[in-house]
Amino acid sequence: MMDVDLYSVSSGKLEVFIAETIQPDAAYLASSGEAIDQLVHFLQKNVPDHIRPARVVKGGSLGKGTAVKGKSDIDLTLILARYSVVEAMIDDMPSILRQLEQHLGKYEDVKVVGKTGHAVQVELSCHSGHTHAVDILPAVDILPNLSEGNVKARLGPVYHKLGQRNKKTREFYSASLGPLQIELTKHFPTKLKSLIRLIKYWKKSKLTLRYKTA
């Protein structure tokens, strides 16, 4: 990332600054998109049936269109066909993550770097030489069809059920609710996404540096 003094940029040049310094270029996005699509294909075709996703939802900064040049991440939410309730998946989660980790280790462009109670964490290499942090999160399809009208009313039962669960169980609902966040971000105007990128850049280049030197 270029060493640019953010506070010296005039308001009239802010959009140029974002485009040239913060926003990833088309070649980077194309290379990243190709690598991610290949990983999604692998997950859909090369894992055992009982952990194979019915669909994969792309989130994170790349999936939401808010990636910063030189720093991007992605969440791949695996909507598992086998489960209809989150609680059933929770019981099997250690086994699901263990098997995902095992099969991801066979994928040439992936390096497994960690695992949490909810995800397998990997580094994905692109042909351009860039690497991306990827969290792979098993989830259950608990959301209504987001393309239909009156989404707010139809989400009521989902939130009611969530409110009845304890804190530990609610944490496992996060990935299953992820597609809702992505659907919301998808409709953000370009200027709002640029603002999100700018805040990320400021946090990384200014705020983090000040805390380290304090």
Side-chain angles (χ1 to χ4, degrees):
M1 188 174 290
M2 295 175 60
D3 185 14
V4 178
D5 185 0
L6 181 60
Y7 298 109
S8 69
V9 180
S10 65
S11 58
K13 297 181 179 178
L14 186 58
E15 290 185 3
V16 175
F17 174 79
I18 292 172
E20 295 182 352
T21 307
I22 300 176
Q23 184 171 324
D25 58 37
Y28 172 85
L29 292 174
S31 174
S32 302
E34 181 182 3
I36 292 163
D37 287 344
Q38 289 173 353
L39 176 56
V40 168
H41 180 79
F42 174 85
L43 290 165
Q44 291 174 324
K45 302 295 183 181
N46 295 279
V47 298
D49 289 345
H50 59 280
I51 60 170
R52 186 169 297 171
R55 71 179 192 277
V56 179
V57 181
K58 303 173 188 177
S61 61
L62 276 171
K64 296 174 185 174
T66 58
V68 172
K69 184 181 293 186
K71 181 176 175 58
S72 59
D73 64 280
I74 189 160
D75 296 337
L76 293 181
T77 301
L78 311 186
I79 305 297
L80 302 181
R82 181 183 180 184
Y83 300 94
S84 59
V85 294
V86 173
E87 286 75 9
M89 184 189 67
I90 294 174
D91 293 338
D92 294 343
M93 186 65 84
S95 174
I96 293 170
L97 295 176
R98 184 169 60 251
Q99 292 179 73
L100 279 173
E101 182 179 12
Q102 176 185 350
H103 286 277
L104 285 164
K106 302 175 184 177
Y107 190 73
E108 182 179 357
D109 294 328
V110 157
K111 177 183 177 183
V112 178
V113 296
K115 187 169 61 177
T116 70
H118 307 87
V120 177
Q121 300 168 319
V122 305
E123 287 182 354
L124 174 64
S125 300
C126 298
H127 296 306
S128 62
H130 294 95
T131 60
H132 304 289
V134 183
D135 281 359
I136 300 174
L137 305 106
V140 177
D141 188 3
I142 61 172
L143 294 171
N145 188 339
L146 298 178
S147 64
E148 297 179 359
N150 200 19
V151 171
K152 184 176 180 180
R154 289 183 295 109
L155 284 173
V158 177
Y159 293 139
H160 178 71
K161 181 186 295 185
L162 184 60
Q164 294 178 322
R165 302 302 186 261
N166 59 45
K167 181 180 178 181
K168 184 176 180 179
T169 301
R170 286 199 299 270
E171 291 174 355
F172 284 91
Y173 273 78
S174 178
S176 297
L177 292 169
L180 187 62
Q181 183 186 49
I182 296 164
E183 181 70 15
L184 174 66
T185 310
K186 183 172 68 176
H187 299 290
F188 283 177
T190 300
K191 286 190 176 182
L192 179 53
K193 290 185 177 181
S194 294
L195 175 60
I196 293 171
R197 287 191 176 101
L198 184 63
I199 293 171
K200 287 182 177 181
Y201 177 89
W202 172 77
K203 180 178 182 295
K204 178 176 174 59
S205 63
K206 298 298 178 182
L207 188 62
T208 303
L209 178 63
R210 290 188 176 189
Y211 274 115
K212 285 183 178 179
T213 58

